[in-house]
Amino acid sequence: MTSEKAKDLVQLALGIALIAVFLSITDPFEIYTNVIRTDLNTYVFGLAVFLLIYPVAALRWIKIYSDHMLGIGDSLKTIAISYSLNKVLPFNSGDIARSKIMENYTKVGSHGKVLGLVGLERASDVAVLSATASISSISLLPVSNIFLTALPVVLIVSGMYSLRKFENSLVSLIDASSSAMPFNVGEYVKDSLRSFNRVSLNRLLLVFTLTCIRWLVNITAFYIIISSGGISLGIAQVAALTSLMSLVASLPITPAGLGAVEVSATGLLISFGLSTAESGTAVILTRSAGVLLMGIIGLLLLSLEGVNLGQLK
């Protein structure tokens, strides 16, 4: 067994163990009862709103990858497949394979460059989610705790500045270490760094604006989906929940945050005053959109486009 497969199995085992924890702290039978009583019309409307994420994310990727002619249709398919692979494979594989996915629709000159731009996309997501958590926490936490939630935003902004300010020093460090890196990793890293730093301030502002819209759509969709289960949460609480679930899911702990998202989100919802069954129901309903729907859409596109996972490695 290769070390990569061993890591995948460990991640899967950890995810299953965390799901067991999630089931132990909730009431599975009552969750099932709540789910089957969900208002179907409201739930479907929430899913329809959720799907609006795709055109916004596709437009954002076109603006990030503006040096190449990528149409909105091809960008939509690229984003849908990439997001899907993030949900069904470990280590955010859809992001890592973004350039391989794009080769089906346009010429990709440098895989490292695409990876650097994906890094910018992810940095904007984390910054906006952290800011959203900070803003929503104003009404949920004591003022003394607000600094802790704002800290990730400060770190990201200062980190982006440092990458630009000390680019030459970082390139020299990579060159000095490249002999110890396999498979030309050093060149990929340098390409990523340069592409990240070549994005103009105007493009950065546009990207962050589209990122704000993308997550506002997500929060609105989750608010509708949760309400379809007869569960009452304020918009600030849903914003905090969306931020937590998305940030935990982005960590390479388990595939798509399996188990880790469920446990952390349930804990947050219980702290908001929901019962364990209500908390579990809200988590299941939102995950049905954030994982199941996204996964199905991407896998269907892979099939329709005639692309197999082996081509993306």
Side-chain angles (χ1 to χ4, degrees), residues 97-294:
R98 181 78 62 89
S99 61
K100 290 288 187 180
I101 298 168
M102 289 175 58
E103 283 182 338
N104 294 283
Y105 310 113
T106 188
K107 183 178 180 181
V108 177
S110 168
H111 296 295
K113 179 179 179 180
V114 174
L115 191 59
L117 295 175
V118 171
L120 171 60
E121 183 183 82
R122 285 295 148 265
S124 71
D125 282 335
V126 173
V128 169
L129 285 168
S130 300
T132 300
S134 301
I135 295 169
S136 60
S137 296
I138 292 173
S139 61
L140 304 174
L141 295 174
V143 176
S144 59
N145 291 334
I146 300 302
F147 173 75
L148 295 178
T149 57
L151 186 59
V153 180
V154 176
L155 292 175
I156 289 169
V157 173
S158 59
M160 291 174 68
Y161 171 79
S162 298
L163 287 176
R164 290 174 180 262
K165 180 71 174 178
F166 303 109
E167 178 181 338
N168 292 334
S169 299
L170 290 170
V171 169
S172 298
L173 180 62
I174 294 167
D175 285 335
S177 309
S178 59
S179 59
M181 299 180 185
F183 309 117
N184 293 320
V185 170
E187 294 301 318
Y188 283 120
V189 174
K190 286 193 294 183
D191 283 348
S192 300
L193 177 63
R194 287 165 178 156
S195 66
F196 188 96
N197 288 339
R198 296 303 176 269
V199 177
S200 67
L201 179 59
N202 288 338
R203 277 173 64 195
L204 277 177
L205 291 174
L206 179 57
V207 167
F208 273 86
T209 300
L210 289 170
T211 301
C212 290
I213 296 171
R214 179 252 186 271
W215 287 107
L216 180 60
V217 170
N218 203 143
I219 291 166
T220 303
F222 277 6
Y223 179 83
I224 296 169
I225 289 170
I226 290 171
S227 68
S228 74
I231 300 166
S232 179
L233 284 177
I235 194 67
Q237 292 172 317
V238 177
L241 175 67
T242 304
S243 300
L244 175 68
M245 293 176 73
S246 301
L247 289 170
V248 172
S250 68
L251 299 174
I253 303 171
T254 59
L258 177 68
V261 170
E262 284 76 11
V263 171
S264 58
T266 299
L268 179 66
L269 290 171
I270 289 173
S271 74
F272 289 159
L274 295 185
S275 68
T276 55
E278 289 176 324
S279 300
T281 302
V283 171
I284 294 297
L285 290 175
T286 52
R287 290 288 270 173
S288 69
V291 176
L292 185 61
L293 180 62
M294 280 185 143

